[in-house]
Amino acid sequence: MLNAIVDKAKERMSHSHQTLAREFGQIRAGRANASLLDRVTVEYYGTKTPLNQIAGISIPEARVLLISPFDKGSIKDIERAINASDLGITPTSDGSVIRLVIPALTEERRKELAKDVKKVGETSKIAIRNIRRDAMEEAKKSEKAKEITEDDLKDLEKEIQKVTDNAVKHIDEMTANKEKELLEV
């Protein structure tokens, strides 16, 4: 019973870390990153299809994404989808592949993105604290229902706090790494 509450909290916190990593992957850092295109969907034979399912995406240079469609006839559709997305990058095509050159970020834009990273990190910490609160409430309910003793409750609360502290520390590290990546010229 005790471990089940802690394990459930750990699993939920792990999901928060994965979500944070995905959100950080979508923040453009002036470097090519295939996850920038994760939200791009292409109208392909009448169906909205994720770009990574109809094309190979590679990074030949630090600031270039190379999109190689599996079906060469879909190049115009892919270009249209990229132009319609909120990426703000104009694709260039040579008929068989599409290149996206990621523009270098200005110092001002880097600082703005660093602030965004901090906000996303804080939101993630709030989610972790909510998970802690839920786990603590579940532990207290178990104690009230006489499923665990008062001593077990104290031990469980300490364990939940330890797990929470580790999760918050991990978020701080992820946030600091992303900020460092953004502010690097």
Side-chain angles (χ1 to χ4, degrees), residues 34 100 175:
L100 288 179
T175 303

Side-chain angles (χ1 to χ4, degrees), residues 8-61:
K8 184 176 162 188
K10 278 184 184 175
E11 185 180 330
R12 288 180 63 200
M13 289 178 188
S14 173
H15 287 297
S16 288
H17 291 146
Q18 292 167 4
T19 301
L20 181 65
R22 256 194 317 276
E23 287 188 39
F24 281 172
Q26 293 173 349
I27 294 177
R28 198 162 42 129
R31 277 198 211 98
N33 185 343
S35 64
L36 285 174
L37 299 172
D38 284 351
R39 292 181 292 175
V40 176
T41 56
V42 180
E43 186 75 32
Y44 186 63
Y45 290 109
T47 308
K48 290 272 187 200
T49 309
L51 177 59
N52 59 8
Q53 289 182 11
I54 62 171
I57 301 168
S58 59
I59 305 169
E61 296 170 39

Side-chain angles (χ1 to χ4, degrees), residues 13 128-136 160-161 164:
M13 289 178 188
I128 295 292
R129 288 192 287 268
N130 288 339
I131 293 167
R132 177 190 61 195
R133 185 198 61 227
D134 294 346
M136 293 286 200
I160 291 169
Q161 188 58 49
T164 302

